Amino acid sequence: MLILSHKFNKNSIAALTGALQICPETAELEPSVLWNREDIVKEAAKASEEGLLPVVCFSFTTLHFLDTVKELLLLKKQLAKLPVPPLYIAGGAHPSGSVEETLGCGFDYAVKGEGEYAFPALTAALINETDPCEIRGVCRLENGRLVSKGRAQAVNLDDYPPFPERLIKFSYIEITRGCPVACRYCQTSYIQGARYRHRAPEKVLGYAERLVSLGVKDLRFITPDCLSYGSRDVGRPNLPFLEKFLSDMKKCADGRNIHFGSFPSEVFPTSVTEESMELLAAYVSNGNMVIGAQTGSDRLMRHIGRSHTVDDVRRAVRIILGNGFAANVDFMFGLPGETEEDEEESIRFMTELFSMGAKVHSHTFMPLAGTPFGNLPPVTVSPKTAATLEKLAGYGIQYGSWKAQMEKSNRLAYFRKVFAETGDAEKAVTESDNYSVPPLQRCSL
């Protein structure tokens, strides 16, 4: 089994390889986690020449869908003449949200939903030569028709490790999955569920002890809102629970750095209180907190499904800064329904936050598979706003990859248009590579 790894999918791969190691039928399997196509080609050829079936696995989001399709097509060309042709398997947020599109681009199987149970079960089915599509979550196309038993069930995080015992390249611990907020542009609630599922603190501490024993210097945690850990409700931190957890974690860390509230464990605006920030200040090592605003317009905030206001963000940033942390605030431009007035409100709010001492991390909206906004056309940032963002970057007010995200979003839309017309993924990839992002398009939803 060959798994293509990148920076963007290393946490998914950590969970999947960990799940393989605890499944009795795949426990002895040693997957090769490889970081470039050349190594995949070399290892696949070696396995095939030995009479083994090469299985090449990919995990990706919508943001990286086009790049992954390119990798797939190149691999299929290079490996087409092997004596035992490889199988190609897809998983992750994009296949979960758009499984037929994924399979239509040339993957043999895709996992729809969480993979901790479905992926090892698929692997065992290949070993035992049984039908993988009898497993819930495993999908394929037959003569253009989807064969599937439905989405894989949500797993109990305590039943699976966040990373493999035998591979030590991964050091993040997922502590919470799912989110009740259900922002209309975000995949978390629609793919992982609209409630919090927490990994038990004793389990988390056990994994942290393992990382400490391996010499990891920084302990980091994956959660949509670090202050939600141990709570059922958005914006209502369970502070006694968190204090006990962080106190135990500090003892376990034995001088290592605890990162809690910085990426990938951000804070939700309404979770920020004087008490919660004082608690984090007493235990964590990160000097900054990452907080999501997304827009400076209350009207647009309601439209996209954020359950907070601009004032909530302002108050949260003030509290974060007052407790000695730097504040990095996420904004998103080109949101569906965004007007010129909304853009101007966001720019004004960004400038205000900078005057308070915060920095702004700018993004561009991308229609993500499986979300309420997933089938909308992409948008571009207006020339006026683009010029303003460039100017603010020069002043140090904002940073981020909003321009690259805007280009990827529009190229993906063009890929889909060409692919729908021709059914030729290779042609669609080539043409989308050469596609120029058009002038401003506003989505009026």
Side-chain angles (χ1 to χ4, degrees):
M1 176 166 287
L2 311 173
I3 302 175
L4 184 59
S5 183
H6 296 283
K7 286 183 179 179
F8 64 79
N9 67 4
K10 63 180 182 179
N11 296 317
S12 297
I13 289 172
L16 293 173
T17 51
L20 284 172
Q21 290 182 0
I22 67 165
C23 173
E25 292 184 278
T26 60
E28 299 305 314
L29 182 69
E30 290 288 353
S32 295
V33 179
L34 303 168
W35 297 82
N36 58 70
R37 187 173 63 253
E38 291 74 20
D39 287 342
I40 293 279
V41 169
K42 187 187 305 180
E43 293 297 318
K46 181 181 174 183
S48 181
E49 286 162 8
E50 293 173 358
L52 302 173
L53 171 66
V55 179
V56 185
C57 304
F58 305 77
S59 179
F60 51 94
T61 64
T62 301
L63 183 63
H64 300 101
F65 174 51
L66 261 187
D67 294 332
T68 305
V69 171
K70 281 192 223 176
E71 292 276 15
L72 172 71
L73 295 175
L74 287 168
L75 281 169
K76 293 187 86 166
K77 270 189 176 181
Q78 290 178 275
L79 301 175
K81 295 182 179 179
L82 290 183
V84 182
L87 282 178
Y88 300 93
I89 298 175
H94 187 83
S96 292
S98 189
V99 70
E100 291 187 65
E101 175 182 58
T102 299
L103 290 166
C105 289
F107 292 95
D108 296 295
Y109 293 98
V111 174
K112 181 181 177 71
E114 296 180 6
E116 281 90 345
Y117 172 77
F119 181 60
L122 185 164
T123 304
L126 294 175
I127 293 169
N128 297 325
E129 299 183 346
T130 59
D131 183 2
C133 288
E134 289 299 311
I135 300 154
R136 186 170 169 179
V138 179
C139 311
R140 70 170 177 267
L141 288 181
E142 284 187 7
N143 300 317
R145 182 180 66 86
L146 183 67
V147 178
S148 171
K149 295 286 187 182
R151 178 184 292 271
Q153 289 183 309
V155 302
N156 181 347
L157 293 182
D158 288 341
D159 292 340
Y160 297 92
F163 50 77
E165 179 74 12
R166 296 195 295 270
L167 297 175
I168 59 173
K169 296 178 182 177
F170 312 102
S171 60
Y172 291 7
I173 304 173
E174 185 180 23
I175 60 174
T176 301
R177 191 176 290 181
C179 178
V181 179
C183 302
R184 299 175 74 188
Y185 58 83
C186 178
Q187 289 172 312
T188 302
S189 300
Y190 302 97
I191 290 177
Q192 298 181 345
R195 65 180 181 87
Y196 293 131
R197 283 178 284 145
H198 303 300
R199 184 171 263 125
E202 57 271 20
K203 292 276 190 178
V204 177
L205 286 164
Y207 296 125
E209 287 171 0
R210 171 64 177 155
L211 293 176
V212 168
S213 74
L214 293 170
V216 169
K217 294 181 179 178
D218 297 285
L219 297 174
R220 300 179 186 271
F221 305 90
I222 302 172
T223 169
D225 171 18
C226 71
L227 291 170
S228 73
Y229 185 50
S231 175
R232 294 183 179 179
D233 303 314
V234 177
R236 297 182 63 183
N238 184 339
L239 294 183
F241 176 94
L242 284 170
E243 181 157 27
K244 174 70 164 59
F245 170 72
L246 289 171
S247 175
D248 290 343
M249 187 59 64
K250 190 167 186 176
K251 293 172 188 172
C252 168
D254 192 27
R256 272 77 172 178
N257 295 320
I258 298 171
H259 296 269
F260 205 68
S262 59
F263 182 82
S265 61
E266 305 174 2
V267 291
F268 196 72
T270 54
S271 295
V272 176
T273 64
E274 289 287 354
E275 294 78 13
S276 64
M277 285 300 107
E278 288 171 5
L279 175 62
L280 294 188
Y283 289 104
V284 306
S285 306
N286 43 290
N288 73 92
M289 293 284 155
V290 178
I291 181 173
Q294 311 314 344
T295 175
S297 162
D298 277 321
R299 183 202 69 80
L300 190 57
M301 199 89 75
R302 291 189 295 272
H303 177 64
I304 64 177
R306 301 289 290 180
S307 60
H308 64 81
T309 65
V310 171
D311 273 343
D312 289 330
V313 176
R314 184 180 288 114
R315 176 192 54 79
V317 168
R318 188 175 294 116
I319 293 171
I320 287 169
L321 295 170
N323 280 274
F325 294 102
N328 291 290
V329 188
D330 282 332
F331 274 74
M332 190 178 297
F333 288 90
L335 285 159
E338 185 177 54
T339 64
E340 184 176 353
E341 183 180 349
D342 294 325
E343 287 182 333
E344 290 173 353
E345 286 187 37
S346 288
I347 294 293
R348 284 196 296 270
F349 190 39
M350 288 167 57
T351 307
E352 176 190 344
L353 293 175
F354 179 74
S355 71
M356 293 168 61
K359 279 197 171 184
V360 169
H361 189 198
S362 298
H363 305 268
T364 304
F365 165 74
M366 182 176 208
L368 299 180
T371 68
F373 288 165
N375 293 321
L376 295 179
V379 295
T380 58
V381 174
S382 72
K384 177 182 176 182
T385 295
T388 303
L389 288 174
E390 296 283 8
K391 186 177 179 181
L392 295 179
Y395 292 149
I397 293 176
Q398 72 87 20
Y399 66 99
S401 52
W402 62 271
K403 190 180 293 184
Q405 291 165 351
M406 180 177 70
E407 291 173 353
K408 279 196 172 188
S409 179
N410 280 270
R411 287 198 176 105
L412 175 56
Y414 193 72
F415 164 86
R416 286 170 166 161
K417 176 179 180 294
V418 176
F419 189 45
E421 291 170 352
T422 65
D424 186 335
E426 186 172 0
K427 177 180 174 64
V429 163
T430 301
E431 292 199 14
S432 64
D433 275 347
N434 298 320
Y435 179 67
S436 296
V437 176
L440 171 68
Q441 302 176 80
R442 289 198 192 278
C443 180
S444 60
L445 178 70

